[in-house]
Amino acid sequence: MEIIPAIDIIGGQVVRLRQGDYRQKTVYASSPAAVARRFEQLGFRRLHVVDLDGAKSKHVVNIEALRGITSATRLTVDFGGGIKTDDDIEQAFAAGAHMVTVGSVAVSHPELMQRWVRRYGADRLILGADVRHGHISVNGWQEDSAQELAPFLRRYVDMGISQVLCTDISRDGMMQGPAVELYEEILQAFPGLQLIASGGVATRDDLLRLEAAGLPAVVTGKAMYEGTLGFIIDPDSACDKGATESKKLV
């Protein structure tokens, strides 16, 4: 199972929210690029970057932060948040994103998502399935749609999408364990899906549970910054605590 660290950005800073609530924000670092370099030095190969300002504003905002990350590292970066138009997605790819995560557009404008699949290829698009009470949430988790999870996934799997980032919003930033049962149900319904878990990871036991459930990848953010996985990300430190040990997780 691949472990993918997350960098969420508001106002150019690295932050984490609780359950997607912008009023419950913790700032962890002032330089996303510096944090990305530390992840690379720790042995990680991939990075999940979310423009929270963009998600809320409904257009890409922190494009310079993305460009700083891709210029400073060789990490494979997937970028999401505020990708609503052709211009948004072009900006993301031009700034060095290898893949983009699209959620809200997939709910509100499936024909645009289909056009992007044809234009860029399904391997460069990750379907964002942010779930709250069984329905897909959109626009930075500020709104719940009427779209239920299973038919939403079916539409895009049939379209050729194979990578899905699924977040149980109730668990995000809470560090109370991931939604293992939800992911097991998804994998049972969609065998072979490249399902990426997100939300709730706090300990190595959580990672082992996800791996045992057959998850090919997991995104984790707060646990990285709080040090509950056995190491602490400090972009200003020459040598992070537990750096050698942490490479075993990748």
Side-chain angles (χ1 to χ4, degrees):
M1 183 178 70
E2 183 176 17
I3 298 171
I4 306 169
I7 291 179
D8 292 356
I9 304 172
I10 290 179
Q13 297 180 309
V14 178
V15 307
R16 293 298 293 175
L17 306 180
R18 289 170 59 88
Q19 298 180 319
D21 187 347
Y22 284 72
R23 297 168 298 179
Q24 299 187 64
K25 177 183 72 175
T26 302
V27 177
Y28 286 99
S30 59
S31 172
V35 174
R37 283 195 298 270
R38 293 305 298 132
F39 282 131
E40 185 174 44
Q41 290 164 1
L42 286 167
F44 294 97
R45 298 181 295 273
R46 182 168 164 180
L47 182 66
H48 177 62
V49 178
V50 182
D51 180 357
L52 289 175
D53 289 316
K56 189 175 183 179
S57 302
K58 302 182 183 181
H59 63 87
V60 172
V61 174
N62 287 290
I63 199 69
E64 290 306 318
L66 171 62
R67 186 172 288 110
I69 289 170
T70 59
S71 298
T73 73
R74 296 182 179 179
L75 293 166
T76 297
V77 176
D78 73 77
F79 177 80
I83 296 178
K84 300 290 194 294
T85 66
D86 288 336
D87 184 58
D88 290 322
I89 197 170
E90 285 290 345
Q91 282 191 69
F93 285 136
H98 298 81
M99 296 167 282
V100 295
T101 300
V102 182
S104 299
V105 161
V107 174
S108 60
H109 295 90
E111 72 288 346
L112 179 56
M113 182 72 165
Q114 185 172 33
R115 179 155 57 82
W116 287 348
V117 170
R118 290 196 300 265
R119 180 172 182 178
Y120 301 106
D123 59 330
R124 299 195 74 187
L125 294 169
I126 301 171
L127 180 65
D130 301 326
V131 184
R132 182 159 44 205
H133 307 307
H135 290 79
I136 302 298
S137 183
V138 297
N139 297 325
W141 302 349
Q142 298 179 93
E143 305 168 30
D144 292 331
S145 74
Q147 182 70 65
E148 295 182 351
L149 177 61
F152 178 71
L153 294 179
R154 173 55 62 194
R155 165 183 279 175
Y156 289 104
V157 168
D158 290 348
M159 195 182 291
I161 293 290
S162 61
Q163 297 186 83
V164 174
L165 175 65
C166 184
T167 303
D168 183 336
I169 297 170
S170 68
R171 297 173 184 258
D172 190 72
M174 301 302 290
M175 297 178 65
Q176 295 177 353
V180 177
E181 297 80 8
L182 172 64
Y183 300 133
E184 288 176 333
E185 291 175 5
I186 293 172
L187 289 174
Q188 184 175 7
F190 301 94
L193 187 69
Q194 293 298 301
L195 183 62
I196 307 168
S198 176
V201 169
T203 68
R204 294 189 181 207
D205 285 343
D206 290 332
L207 298 176
L208 292 173
R209 289 174 61 213
L210 289 169
E211 186 172 41
L215 273 295
V218 57
V219 164
T220 180
K222 190 171 183 178
M224 295 280 191
Y225 303 111
E226 296 289 340
T228 61
L229 292 177
F231 59 97
I232 299 173
I233 297 300
D234 179 1
D236 299 318
S237 172
C239 182
D240 288 310
K241 177 183 178 183
T244 302
E245 185 180 9
S246 71
K247 293 180 182 179
K248 298 176 183 177
L249 296 174
V250 184

